[in-house]
Amino acid sequence: MEIKRFDTAAELDIYAAQLFSDLLEHKPDAVLGLATGSTPVGIYEKMIEMHRSGKMTFRDAATFNLDEYVGLAPSHDQSYARFMKQHLFNDIDLPAGRAHLPDGMAHNLQAECLGYDRMLAANPIDMQLLGLGHNGHIGFNEPDNALQAGTHIVELKAATREANARFFDSLDQVPTRAITMGVGSILKAQNILLVVKGADKAEIVKQSLTGPITTECPASLLQTHARVIVLLDREAGRLL
Ligand code: GLP
């Protein structure tokens, strides 16, 4: 694991965007694994800036997002499909059909999970961007005594729903389930970029990177991957 610390979130964002830009320059049809949450927003802003100044094109790329809430239509304010349009897709030149997210409205969710895994198998991810939940979740893979490898439906933990309630009018509007890539799918990515910001994540950063490898902290499984780059702001890295 390569760990890099940055004095400011802005420096971190530029560094992360540059890694994606370098990848696309060297491999224009790269498959990018993308994430939602507040952490990647600044990185997406930098990507948009680089795109606008002609330094980054997504023309031949494809993207796969980690997860989506079950029961939220792509048009819903808080769906991850909407989030990605607002924060990235509307402002770059990625062809519409090449942005993939699991469909949380699918009539047959099991079939949707299998279909997503089939697409991932046919389009291996070159670089997967990951944020980190306060309980060590990655994507929506919540701590448990066992984890699933492939895309699956997950019951969200109370703590995760509470953390995400800030984006909804009230806690009861936060969906109780999500569809997420599994840890197995995440670990198949060629390169993984784990990005963490803020003092409130310092403890889980320490546990994830230096603690035991356990399904009770899904991010700790990243320790088994050969090509993980961890980008931390000063606060998130303060216990290492
Ligand atoms: C969400 C997402 C994760 C994200 C995490 C942290 O629930 N499913 O992909 O990494 O929580 O979010 P934030 O970056 O807002 O702290």
Side-chain angles (χ1 to χ4, degrees):
M1 252 182 198
E2 185 185 340
I3 301 177
K4 288 190 174 287
R5 281 183 252 199
F6 298 83
D7 283 336
T8 65
E11 288 168 73
L12 184 161
D13 293 338
I14 291 171
Y15 188 90
Q18 189 64 49
L19 286 179
F20 278 99
S21 171
D22 292 347
L23 169 63
L24 287 173
E25 190 158 334
H26 147 88
K27 187 177 180 189
D29 62 349
V31 180
L32 314 181
L34 300 181
T36 52
S38 46
T39 308
V41 170
I43 299 172
Y44 296 152
E45 282 168 9
K46 297 294 169 205
M47 287 184 183
I48 292 168
E49 277 173 29
M50 292 167 88
H51 169 64
R52 286 194 174 135
S53 60
K55 294 187 195 127
M56 195 172 183
T57 177
F58 298 80
R59 210 173 29 227
D60 299 315
T63 67
F64 283 85
N65 264 77
L66 286 166
D67 47 16
E68 178 60 284
Y69 288 113
V70 168
L72 297 195
S75 57
H76 188 286
D77 259 10
Q78 295 308 326
S79 75
Y80 285 164
R82 175 83 174 262
F83 175 101
M84 290 309 299
K85 280 192 174 166
Q86 266 173 358
H87 292 284
L88 185 65
F89 297 154
N90 284 347
D91 296 295
I92 59 172
D93 59 348
L94 178 74
R98 295 227 209 93
H100 306 276
L101 281 101
D103 178 5
M105 291 294 279
H107 180 62
N108 183 340
L109 288 168
Q110 284 317 319
E112 175 65 17
C113 292
L114 290 173
Y116 207 66
D117 280 343
R118 264 195 301 272
M119 282 197 293
L120 284 168
N123 299 274
I125 291 174
D126 290 287
M127 179 130 67
Q128 174 67 57
L129 179 60
L130 290 179
L132 179 65
H134 289 98
N135 58 8
H137 75 235
I138 47 178
F140 266 133
N141 292 279
E142 297 278 33
D144 210 334
N145 53 17
L147 291 175
Q148 292 193 44
T151 303
H152 61 284
I153 304 298
V154 66
E155 294 288 332
L156 298 178
K157 296 271 184 198
T160 299
R161 294 185 63 238
E162 278 154 27
N164 290 1
R166 66 191 194 278
F167 301 114
F168 292 80
D169 289 338
S170 63
L171 179 60
D172 58 302
Q173 290 187 14
V174 184
T176 55
R177 293 189 299 160
I179 178 167
T180 183
M181 269 166 62
V183 175
S185 337
I186 293 171
L187 291 173
K188 278 187 196 137
Q190 182 84 27
N191 297 280
I192 295 179
L193 193 58
L194 174 67
V195 179
V196 198
K197 297 173 182 171
D200 53 324
K201 302 253 179 94
E203 183 58 47
I204 195 66
V205 163
K206 184 178 163 203
Q207 266 184 53
S208 304
L209 305 188
T210 67
I213 298 172
T214 163
T215 58
E216 297 295 347
C217 177
S220 68
L221 275 87
L222 297 173
Q223 293 179 41
T224 66
H225 193 284
R227 293 171 67 95
V228 178
I229 303 178
V230 186
L231 307 182
L232 305 171
D233 69 2
R234 204 180 358 198
E235 291 78 20
R238 97 190 131 84
L239 297 179
L240 291 182

